Amino acid sequence: LAKTTQPISMDSYEGQEVNITCSHNNIATNDYITWYQQFPSQGPRFIIQGYKTKVTNEVASLFIPADRKSSTLSLPRVSLSDTAVYYCLVGDLPYGGATNKLIFGTGTLLAVQP
Amino acid sequence: NAGVMQNPRHLVRRRGQEARLRCSPMKGHSHVYWYRQLPEEGLKFMVYLQKENIIDESGMPKERFSAEFPKEGPSILRIQQVVRGDSAAYFCASSTTGEPQHFGDGTRLSIL
C-alpha cells in the first residue's frame, strides 16, 4: 500500500474554498485514492474516491494529475461545520470496498473560523 | 436505511474484566471490519470478517482479543482481562462488494 503524506493542519474562514493536497509518490497502477472525513466523537465518513483526472460529487472535488503522485481534495465554500480531520488513503480495487482493509494516516485537521 | 450501529457508545471496565462491543452492519452488508483509534491518532485496522468467517485478523493482538460475526445477530469484538492500554475508541465498518466502507460512531472504552 502506498504511503501518503498530508499537512497536519490547515486553517480557513467560512465561505472560502479549501484545497488539501496529499502526496503518494509510490502509488501503484491499480491504486485508487479515497478521502474520508471524521468529526470528533464520530466514525469516518466517505467523501470521494478517484483514479485519475477529476471527480466531483455534491460534497467535494478530487483532482488527480496525470502522474498520480499527488491528489487534491477541494471543498467549495466551507462552513464552520466542515471543521474535521480529513484522511487521504491509497489502495487498490477500488479502495475501501469489500475485502480491503483501510490504512489511515494521521490526517489533516481543518479548522474553519468565522 | 439505518447506518452501522454500534453499542454501547461508552463502556467503562475495571482492569481484568471483559469488554464486549457490538456492531450491527448496514442492511445488506456482509463484510464487517473493526478498527481501533487511540487519542490523536488515525484508525488502525484490527480484523475483517464475513458471515461466520474471519478473513483477515492481521491487526488483532495475539492474546485477549477475539471477534465473531455469526450468521444471525451483530458482530462482537471481545476483549478479555482488559488493561489500561486497551482504552481507545473502537470503530466498526461494513461494506458490500464494490462500495466504500461505512463506519459506525464507535464505542469508547475506558479502563479504570
Side-chain angles (χ1 to χ4, degrees), chain A:
Chain A
L1 294 169
K3 178 179 169 57
T4 61
T5 303
Q6 50 184 125
I8 293 174
S9 64
M10 293 182 67
D11 293 319
S12 182
Y13 292 94
E14 281 192 294
Q16 289 187 332
E17 177 184 79
V18 171
N19 296 308
I20 307 174
T21 297
C22 178
S23 297
H24 27 79
N25 291 320
N26 298 321
I27 191 167
T29 303
N30 292 335
D31 285 344
Y32 283 70
I33 300 151
T34 306
W35 286 80
Y36 275 80
Q37 173 193 55
Q38 186 178 26
F39 297 112
S41 301
Q42 294 186 22
R45 185 179 70 141
F46 172 84
I47 302 176
I48 198 167
Q49 182 175 81
Y51 183 79
K52 62 180 179 180
T53 62
K54 177 183 175 182
V55 180
T56 297
N57 62 23
E58 63 277 7
V59 176
S61 294
L62 178 60
F63 298 92
I64 305 168
D67 66 6
R68 305 202 322 123
K69 292 185 184 298
S70 66
S71 59
T72 299
L73 175 72
S74 180
L75 305 172
R77 297 181 298 280
V78 295
S79 64
L80 296 176
S81 62
D82 291 316
T83 294
V85 177
Y86 292 81
Y87 295 98
C88 166
L89 302 95
V90 173
D92 62 1
L93 291 187
Y95 195 41
T99 78
N100 286 319
K101 60 188 180 188
L102 296 174
I103 309 297
F104 287 84
T106 52
T108 297
L109 174 59
L110 172 64
V112 180
Q113 301 177 32

Side-chain angles (χ1 to χ4, degrees), chain B residues 30-82:
Chain B
S30 59
H31 305 267
V32 166
Y33 306 76
W34 286 93
Y35 296 82
R36 176 165 63 177
Q37 185 173 34
L38 296 172
E40 311 301 323
E41 295 186 11
L43 283 74
K44 298 285 191 273
F45 168 80
M46 299 181 73
V47 62
Y48 159 43
L49 311 100
Q50 291 185 37
K51 280 293 186 180
E52 301 183 275
N53 294 305
I54 295 175
I55 307 301
D56 182 349
E57 56 181 348
S58 58
M60 286 278 272
K62 293 289 187 282
E63 298 177 348
R64 302 186 298 108
F65 284 72
S66 62
E68 62 178 13
F69 187 19
K71 187 176 181 180
E72 301 292 336
S75 175
I76 305 290
L77 179 67
R78 182 183 178 204
I79 310 172
Q80 294 178 290
Q81 299 175 318
V82 296

